[in-house]
Amino acid sequence: MITPDLESGVKVWHLVKNHDHGDQKEGDRGSKMVSEIYLTRLLATKGTLQKFVDDLFETLFSTVHRGSALPLAIKYMFDFLDEQADRHSIHDTDVRHTWKSNCLPLRFWVNVIKNPQFVFDIHKGSITDACLSVVAQTFMDSCSTSEHRLGKDSPSNKLLYAKDIPSYKSWVERYYADIAKLPAISDQDMNAYLAEQSRLHAVEFNMLSALNEIYSYVSKYSEELIGALEQDEQARRQRLAYKVEQLINAMSIES
């Protein structure tokens, strides 16, 4: 760890990775010792956190090991995606898997894992952020359908959980399969569920702000939305396309 220096006769090295110092030569004995200590501590930290990571993934990717019942919205949304795949003759299971991963685990859960300060009143330091980034990356790899090929040049965060990824992937696949087996949610039950959620959280959200966000989306894709409503039989009976068009025109005049 200590190599001679021309002036002082001694040189102290910090516990850093090889590439952090440009004046270190590849193959230097001190460099190898630093790498070995770094990797040893990395593996020790991973071992300490392993149970917590396993518990987190098992809870998120299970319809049974949860603090409460699976939300109806998840079952309803996944069934909708399967219905759309059937309607468009998409039989590739990887496509259906990717749709579900993109709309829930990769859009919602990864954000919470990487940024716990969004949910809890805590301070996230740089070290904690780096650790959570590794967990979030492992979470994303678990949702992927592609095969992960690793080599000697692969980053350490990928190598750390390389042996765990296949097991986590099986949890994700089981989770989607278990949800597909659950009884379908009727439109009436879904509407009742949404009405109840609206009642429970009525004082927590600004309704005008939410409506403004929806209008921004509607005005941006007005042609596509009106065209889709004109083609839908139920929407035609309720004249939804005409009502949306009237709404956009009224809002345009107001602005």
Side-chain angles (χ1 to χ4, degrees), residues 112-173:
V112 176
I113 293 172
K114 185 72 173 61
N115 302 286
Q117 72 275 16
F118 289 174
V119 182
F120 304 105
D121 185 15
I122 61 173
H123 170 69
K124 182 182 69 173
S126 58
I127 295 177
T128 303
D129 182 60
C131 292
L132 292 176
S133 293
V134 175
V135 177
Q137 183 60 56
T138 302
F139 188 86
M140 289 188 285
D141 292 341
S142 302
C143 294
S144 173
T145 58
S146 60
E147 182 181 353
H148 289 74
R149 297 181 179 179
L150 302 174
K152 62 179 182 179
D153 296 326
S154 299
S156 57
N157 64 316
K158 291 273 190 178
L159 296 172
L160 267 179
Y161 285 93
K163 293 182 179 180
D164 304 293
I165 293 295
S167 177
Y168 293 154
K169 281 189 172 185
S170 68
W171 291 2
V172 178
E173 293 170 358

Side-chain angles (χ1 to χ4, degrees), residues 95-241:
V95 173
R96 299 178 183 229
H97 183 105
T98 302
W99 282 0
K100 294 172 182 178
S101 295
N102 285 340
C103 70
L104 179 62
L106 301 183
R107 179 170 290 275
F108 178 77
W109 284 122
V110 165
N111 231 353
V112 176
I113 293 172
K114 185 72 173 61
N115 302 286
Q117 72 275 16
F118 289 174
V119 182
F120 304 105
D121 185 15
I122 61 173
H123 170 69
K124 182 182 69 173
S126 58
I127 295 177
T128 303
D129 182 60
C131 292
L132 292 176
S133 293
V134 175
V135 177
Q137 183 60 56
T138 302
F139 188 86
M140 289 188 285
D141 292 341
S142 302
C143 294
S144 173
T145 58
S146 60
E147 182 181 353
H148 289 74
R149 297 181 179 179
L150 302 174
K152 62 179 182 179
D153 296 326
S154 299
S156 57
N157 64 316
K158 291 273 190 178
L159 296 172
L160 267 179
Y161 285 93
K163 293 182 179 180
D164 304 293
I165 293 295
S167 177
Y168 293 154
K169 281 189 172 185
S170 68
W171 291 2
V172 178
E173 293 170 358
R174 181 199 62 194
Y175 176 61
Y176 293 163
D178 287 347
I179 292 177
K181 295 175 185 176
L182 293 174
I185 307 298
S186 66
D187 290 341
Q188 291 80 5
D189 289 342
M190 190 62 200
N191 288 336
Y193 170 78
L194 293 176
E196 176 64 12
Q197 292 302 310
S198 296
R199 185 187 66 79
L200 292 175
H201 304 284
V203 298
E204 300 175 15
F205 298 97
N206 186 320
M207 185 179 296
L208 292 178
S209 177
L211 289 173
N212 183 62
E213 290 296 326
I214 295 175
Y215 170 72
S216 298
Y217 179 86
V218 170
S219 60
K220 183 177 180 180
Y221 300 101
S222 58
E223 293 184 8
E224 293 88 342
L225 286 171
I226 291 173
L229 291 173
E230 288 176 343
Q231 295 176 7
D232 186 85
E233 182 178 351
Q234 186 175 358
R236 285 202 303 270
R237 285 200 297 267
Q238 299 182 27
R239 302 180 66 197
L240 292 183

